[in-house]
Amino acid sequence: MSAPASPAAAPPALPVTFRPSRTRAVLYTVGIAQLAALTAIAVLLPELSGGERISFAGTGVLVGAVLLLLGRPRVVARPEGVTVVNLTTRRDLAWAQVLRVNLRAGDPWVHLDLADGTSLPAMGIQPGIAREQAIRDARALRDLVERHGAVDHTAR
């Protein structure tokens, strides 16, 4: 993403949420299907003991929970800053804290370069099965960072 944003393209209105919608749809569909299949096995096989039935259903719930967790990532841009929600963490950032939005070829998701010299993965924008959408989302977030971050830097 080294190409500059086109001046004609305006950043999206705030608040805006970026998330891998296709990936989430696949994860949720697979989660529901596997839960239904394992629950059906637990209920329909007569030779299973009570403990085995519970194990099948419990495994379905556990796998479903993991798939829900994998569908959690998102990036929320609001007037006051950016919230990055990854698998198990959430981080709220002021616009001035985000210096750059990076999505290089081969990256599994966007990385945010922060003012403290660190890089924060933003798994809510990932090219996985929707590459073009991820590129559009990364550009939109970059435009928002450039617009809102510049305002915060001049206010100092």
Side-chain angles (χ1 to χ4, degrees):
M1 284 205 24
S2 59
S6 66
L14 297 178
V16 63
T17 300
F18 303 103
R19 62 179 64 192
S21 299
R22 286 186 193 169
T23 301
R24 285 170 48 105
V26 169
L27 289 170
Y28 292 170
T29 301
V30 169
I32 291 167
Q34 67 79 32
L35 179 59
L38 288 173
T39 302
I41 290 170
V43 170
L44 297 176
L45 287 180
E47 63 271 2
L48 294 179
S49 70
E52 290 170 329
R53 291 178 195 280
I54 291 170
S55 293
F56 268 99
T59 299
V61 169
L62 182 63
V63 171
V66 169
L67 293 174
L68 284 174
L69 184 67
L70 291 173
R72 182 175 185 249
R74 65 186 174 279
V75 177
V76 181
R78 300 172 325 282
E80 57 275 2
V82 179
T83 299
V84 177
V85 179
N86 288 329
L87 294 179
T88 59
T89 60
R90 173 191 167 122
R91 184 147 176 210
D92 293 310
L93 303 164
W95 285 112
Q97 291 178 274
V98 183
L99 300 179
R100 186 178 4 250
V101 176
N102 295 310
L103 180 59
R104 293 175 290 266
D107 281 351
W109 42 72
V110 161
H111 286 83
L112 304 178
D113 290 341
L114 304 180
D116 65 2
T118 62
S119 178
L120 176 66
M123 297 173 70
I125 302 175
Q126 49 183 267
I129 59 176
R131 183 178 188 280
E132 294 305 316
Q133 182 63 46
I135 290 170
R136 283 192 301 274
D137 289 350
R139 285 185 178 145
L141 182 58
R142 181 195 60 205
D143 292 346
L144 287 168
V145 166
E146 288 174 358
R147 171 180 279 180
H148 296 282
V151 170
D152 287 348
H153 286 298
T154 58
R156 286 184 175 171

